Structures are given as C-alpha cells and as structure tokens.
Amino acid sequence: MRMFLRYLCVCLSLAACAQPATYDHLIRNATIYDGSGNAPTRGDVAINADTIVAIGNLGKARGKTETDAQGMAVAPGFINMLSWANESLIADGRSQSDIRQGVTLEVMGEGWSPGPLSQQMKILQAKLQGGANHRIEWTTLGEYLDFLTNKGVACNVASFVGATTVRIHVLGYDNRPPTSPELVQMKQLVRTAMEEGAMGVGSSLIYPPAFYASTQELIELCQVAAEYDGLYISHLRSEGNRFLPAVQELIDIAKTAKIRAEIYHLKAAGRANWPKMDSALALIESARGAGLAITANMYLYPAGATGLAAALPPDLQEGGDEAFLARLRDPKRRDEILKAITTPTDAWENLYLAAGSPDRVQLVDFAADSMKYLTGKTLAQVAQLRHTSPEQTIVDLLVANQGEVGTVYFMMSEENIRKQLAYPWVSVGSDAASMSAEGTFLQNSTHPRAYGNVARLLAKYVREAQVMTVQEAVRRLTSLPATNLKIAKRGWLKPGYFADVVVFDPEKVQDHATFDRPHQYSTGVAHVWVNGQQVLKNSEPTGALPGRVVRGPGWKRKP
C-alpha cells in the first residue's frame, strides 16, 4: 500500500507538471520578425503583465486572451524617430494615425522640446496653442513627459532636449553668441534634462533662433550629453545649397564632442542639389569607417512640410514673433523682403526657391479662421486669387496669420529616397504629429506622412518596389532606432523585453493618405500591444492608454 501511495503521488505530481502554461495574452501561429533583421520564424508569443515571457512553439499553452495571427507578421512595436506629437497627444492620447501603423514609441525633440520652459516661454506657448487650450502644468522636459503619461496616452513617449529650447530659455531670440555665464546656464539645462531621461540633444539649424547658434555652441551642449551617453540629432544647417558642409558640420560636432550623432530626415532639397546625395552618403560612410557612430532617419515622401516663414531670411525673425511681424508690416522694408524671397543664396535655406515654383508650394494650415478656405491650395493658386505676386502673397499671408502658415514644399527626388533606403543605418521618422481623422484635427490639412509614413515603407518600398525585405524593414523600425537611442528592453521580440507588439499583414498593409486628402488612416495593421495592453484590436483602438515614458541612458545617473 505504501508503494502504491508513493506511486500515486508521483503520478499526480507529473500530471500537475504537465498542465499547460497559462499566460495573460497568447499570440498564436505567428510569422515572427524579432527585430534582428534575420529571416522570420514560425511560432507563438506569450505575454504576462507588461512583458514578453515566451516565444516559440508553445504547444498546448493557453492565454486568458488569445489572438490567432495565422498569415500575419508579428514584430516589435515600431519606433517613430522624429515625432511632432507634443501637442496632438494632449488633444487625443489615442495616437490613432500612428498606432494604426504599429508605432508604439513617439520620439520628440527636433530642436524644440516641451521643456525646459521659463515663465516667459510658458506664457508664449499658451498664446500659440490655438485650439488646444490646455494648461501648461510642467516646467522641465521630464515633467512634460510625466504629464503626458499621467494624462493617458496609448503610445510610449520619449524626447531629446531641444537646443533651440535651451537657447531661448537663456538668450531669448537674440542673434548673438552666449556669454560664458550664459553658456554655463545652457549646459546645466542640458544636464538636468539628461538626468531626467532625455535621449540627447536635438537641433534644427535652418530655423531661427537655432540658426544663430555656432558650431562651437553646439559642441559645448553635446559634450554634456555625451557624459550621459546621449545622442546628438540634427536637422542640418542646410539640406540644399550647403548640404555637404552641413553634413560635415554634424560629423565635426560628433568627433569633437565624442558623441554619437544622427541626421534628421536625410534629404537633398531642390533639384539642383539632388546630385549631392551621393557625396553626402559617401561622407557619412567615411565617417563611419573612421569609427564615428553616424546614422540618419528619413520619411518616405518627395515633399517636406514646415512654415511659410521658411521662405524668408532668418535674420528677419530675430527678437521673436512680434519683431518679425513688425518687420513684415513695415512698408520701408517691403521691397527688400520681396527681393530676399526671390534671390538665390547660400547664406540661408530658402524653401520657396528649393521647391522651384509657387505651384510646388501647398498651403495646409492657417492660424486665422478667415483663411481656412484656402487650405490645400498652392501658393500659385492663392496668388492668382489675390492678384498678387507669389512673394507678396507669402508676406501678406504671414501677416494675416500671425506668422503661422503650415506649408508643404515639393522639393525632393524619388530616386534619392530609394538610394537612401539602401543604407542599413537609415531608420524612419514621420516628422509629423500623431493625429485622429476626426474633431479639431480636421480643421486643417497636413502632410500625408502623419498618417502613412510607416505603412508606405512596408507597402511601396518593401512589397511593391522590393527595395528591402520585410525583415529588414522591421529592423529599421525597431532594433536599429532602439540601439541608436540606447533604449533598454525595447526594439526586439525577446523574453524579458517589454511587450510592445505589432501584428500586421505584409500583403495588405497600405497607406491611403495623399497630399490632397491626408486625413486617411493606413490599413493592414490588425493588433497592437503597448506594455502588454492591447491598444488596437481588429484595426480599431481599444481606448486603453498604457503608454509610458521611455528614458535615455542618463536617467538619474550622475556622470
């Protein structure tokens, strides 16, 4: 009897051990792209709480919730390396235009970051909100990121500290170098931001007052970020006539400051500058060969978008918006300003001339309600309606809209887009907000990259043009930017990593946004999890807002 009881206990123990594992979520029958760039494997992905806990053939395992991914790709959540979701996530935390493309991390801070803010900067930002109408309850960059996640967002968020923001904080809009004490103050602002989790320093050098910063000023700020293993990331001082010297400036900053560096939205702007891309790529390859960690990101459209003021010399904007508008209104300066708009120069970046003609300049966002009927028209069309020259129309529209006119400039080459994508160190960024195709977002037009940048990569350049494989595209969207940002436990599908997961159909993923009709969601992404919570189910948002702050390598770490 004793032997029988012992035998029975052993059998019961084995039976208990043989019980199938149970997980919070189980994604079955997946074609798994783990982010490495290697060929996909078949299997299942198991999630408990906020973590991936198992990958492979999980047999009889069960999930409290289960998703059949038969015929679908499963990948790590996609990373948007250049996001302008600063305000849009406050208006709508669901982040729909990007979540529906599988983007689970928005990385902000192209020159301007939402902190650190002085009291004067807060007052100015409140005036510029337009229809957002939210209280600015933060001062530092870290406080802003916490504000977002406490309010609730579907995606994760991260940010660089903006060199422009730091400059305005200390120098305002003056066109001068900082004094030694001012530079010390600027560096301390960078130090604080890095310890709060900034990814590094971001600059945007064609726009004032960033345009006024010297290379040495940028080196000084980057040296602080380098102490925390941060990244320097830059909208180059020129993407046009001085494109190659601007690339070299970024390389020189990286070398002198001993910092990793990345180029925002790599492109050659203006037909005359398109042939320079080969030399620019060669410069970067040479720097990389010499041991510098230089990378780039890009969006997948032949047009950029910024303000109409990018057609005017930066020195007109010294002193801020009121001084800028006063100069535009001054009849004594009108001829000088009109001549500057139409005169080729290497001294500053004139996007109107880079576009080539007024019919390649599309007006998409007006501050004045009385002007919104012009939304979507070209500058040529508006000039004809108003019976004024294109350059006179530029000035008049800026004055009527307090300097704020959103503009799309058609100025890049499709051939260069494909050429750039061939380089394995190029990742992807939308350079746009994450929007919803509803409510206040529909009051203005936008660039289609806000709704289609990632889907366009997977549809046009992977499936149709076969510029790269699905597994390489997934790597560019996941592990490559995660590595460049030094993000821990994101960017790969691995046990122990955070459960940011995308399920999509490589044969059906498609962008639908166009320049004429940009507010159209992409399709083909079926399910998305962020930190283990499903935020997109059967291609519709669930309403869950589990996004977290993703902090850089210097977070709370003294150098």
Side-chain angles (χ1 to χ4, degrees):
M1 177 61 72
R2 186 177 299 169
M3 289 297 294
F4 173 75
L5 291 174
R6 184 177 297 171
Y7 173 75
L8 182 61
C9 287
V10 169
C11 290
L12 290 172
S13 296
L14 290 172
C17 292
Q19 288 294 318
T22 300
Y23 303 105
D24 290 342
H25 308 289
L26 186 60
I27 304 170
R28 294 189 179 276
N29 306 314
T31 300
I32 299 170
Y33 294 86
D34 64 4
S36 67
N38 295 331
T41 59
R42 294 282 299 168
D44 311 312
V45 178
I47 299 169
N48 276 342
D50 63 356
T51 303
I52 298 168
V53 292
I55 297 175
N57 185 355
L58 301 181
K60 296 182 179 180
R62 298 171 182 168
K64 296 175 184 176
T65 63
E66 296 192 4
T67 299
D68 185 0
Q70 184 70 41
M72 307 281 273
V74 178
F78 301 148
I79 298 173
N80 183 359
M81 273 297 291
L82 203 184
S83 172
W84 277 104
N86 314 44
E87 297 279 346
S88 62
L89 286 177
I90 298 175
D92 187 345
R94 294 175 298 168
S95 191
Q96 286 202 75
S97 64
D98 267 355
I99 283 290
R100 290 171 184 259
Q101 296 181 79
V103 174
T104 59
L105 173 59
E106 304 282 348
V107 185
M108 300 172 276
E110 186 200 359
W112 171 262
S113 55
L117 301 178
S118 65
Q119 189 59 38
Q120 186 176 2
M121 292 168 76
K122 286 186 180 185
I123 293 170
L124 179 59
Q125 284 301 108
K127 290 180 180 178
L128 294 175
Q129 281 180 26
N133 296 324
H134 57 264
R135 292 180 58 194
I136 299 177
E137 300 176 8
W138 63 90
T139 298
T140 71
L141 178 58
E143 288 169 354
Y144 162 78
L145 294 170
D146 288 336
F147 165 82
L148 267 189
T149 53
N150 290 337
K151 180 181 183 296
V153 288
C155 55
N156 296 313
V157 291
S159 184
F160 289 84
V161 60
T164 304
T165 306
V166 168
R167 193 173 220 278
I168 293 171
H169 197 290
V170 178
L171 276 74
Y173 292 85
D174 292 352
N175 182 1
R176 63 175 179 84
T179 64
S180 293
E182 287 171 336
L183 187 58
V184 169
Q185 186 180 352
M186 292 167 71
K187 292 168 72 172
Q188 183 56 48
L189 290 172
V190 172
R191 187 175 303 282
T192 298
M194 294 303 298
E195 291 178 3
E196 287 182 323
M199 294 291 160
V201 171
S203 69
S204 189
L205 300 177
I206 74 164
Y207 305 110
F211 178 84
Y212 311 143
S214 68
T215 302
Q216 186 57 42
E217 178 183 317
L218 295 166
I219 288 170
E220 296 275 354
L221 300 185
C222 286
Q223 285 174 333
V224 175
E227 296 174 23
Y228 298 87
D229 202 15
L231 177 71
Y232 173 57
I233 189 165
S234 180
H235 179 148
L236 299 175
R237 203 176 291 274
S238 172
E239 297 169 329
N241 295 347
R242 293 188 57 77
F243 181 32
L244 298 180
V247 173
Q248 187 61 55
E249 181 187 34
L250 177 126
I251 293 170
D252 292 343
I253 290 170
K255 183 176 181 179
T256 305
K258 296 180 173 58
I259 194 169
R260 297 171 295 112
E262 177 152 324
I263 297 172
Y264 272 132
H265 46 58
L266 178 64
K267 60 179 175 286
R271 183 178 293 275
N273 298 308
W274 293 351
K276 296 177 181 178
M277 183 54 70
D278 289 336
S279 297
L281 293 168
L283 270 176
I284 298 167
E285 285 282 271
S286 176
R288 288 172 58 84
L292 294 178
I294 309 294
T295 52
N297 59 66
M298 63 182 292
Y299 50 81
L300 292 307
Y301 297 83
T306 184
L308 191 56
L312 294 167
D315 60 3
L316 286 177
Q317 298 174 61
E318 181 181 1
D321 290 344
E322 290 304 317
F324 175 46
L325 291 169
R327 294 182 185 111
L328 295 185
R329 295 187 185 106
D330 185 352
K332 295 178 181 178
R333 301 201 65 173
R334 183 58 58 95
D335 289 344
E336 165 202 341
I337 292 169
L338 298 182
K339 184 178 179 180
I341 294 172
T342 57
T343 302
T345 179
D346 290 349
W348 56 281
E349 200 88 329
N350 186 331
L351 298 194
Y352 169 63
L353 292 183
S357 67
D359 60 351
R360 293 176 58 82
V361 177
Q362 185 179 27
L363 307 172
V364 297
D365 190 351
F366 293 90
D369 290 341
S370 62
M371 296 282 179
K372 290 188 185 298
Y373 75 98
L374 299 173
T375 298
K377 294 187 182 299
T378 67
L379 178 62
Q381 290 170 326
V382 175
Q384 185 176 16
L385 284 171
R386 297 168 71 91
H387 304 291
T388 53
S389 68
E391 57 270 26
Q392 181 69 60
T393 304
I394 289 171
V395 175
D396 291 345
L397 291 178
L398 285 170
V399 170
N401 288 272
Q402 299 299 302
E404 299 292 327
V405 181
T407 308
V408 172
Y409 299 92
F410 292 83
M411 54 189 180
M412 280 88 77
S413 154
E414 175 65 29
E415 179 184 353
N416 277 345
I417 291 175
R418 299 184 186 216
K419 188 178 294 182
Q420 294 159 216
L421 280 173
Y423 286 79
W425 37 264
V426 175
S427 60
V428 176
S430 71
D431 196 9
S434 185
M435 303 182 176
S436 296
E438 59 189 62
T440 58
F441 293 103
L442 299 182
Q443 292 179 8
N444 292 294
S445 188
T446 187
H447 192 298
R449 64 194 181 190
Y451 286 85
N453 197 52
V454 169
R456 188 174 179 85
L457 173 66
L458 296 169
K460 179 171 182 175
Y461 295 101
V462 174
R463 187 175 66 240
E464 297 171 14
Q466 299 182 359
V467 173
M468 66 181 71
T469 62
V470 175
Q471 56 261 38
E472 176 61 11
V474 169
R475 187 187 72 84
R476 304 290 190 92
L477 293 164
T478 58
S479 66
L480 174 61
T483 299
N484 293 339
L485 293 168
K486 295 293 181 79
I487 293 173
K489 294 187 176 181
R490 298 187 196 271
W492 280 265
L493 289 184
K494 291 182 179 180
Y497 275 57
F498 289 106
D500 299 337
V501 183
V502 179
V503 179
F504 68 99
D505 188 338
E507 296 302 316
K508 294 181 179 179
V509 63
Q510 186 65 57
D511 60 306
H512 300 286
T514 65
F515 288 98
D516 291 330
R517 296 185 60 212
H519 290 290
Q520 298 186 81
Y521 294 126
S522 294
T523 55
V525 173
H527 309 284
V528 177
W529 287 261
V530 174
N531 299 312
Q533 293 190 45
Q534 194 163 8
V535 297
L536 194 75
K537 184 176 183 179
N538 297 321
S539 301
E540 292 293 332
T542 65
L545 302 172
R548 298 177 183 173
V549 179
V550 175
R551 303 187 192 273
W555 182 39
K556 294 184 178 179
R557 178 175 65 81
K558 303 292 183 181

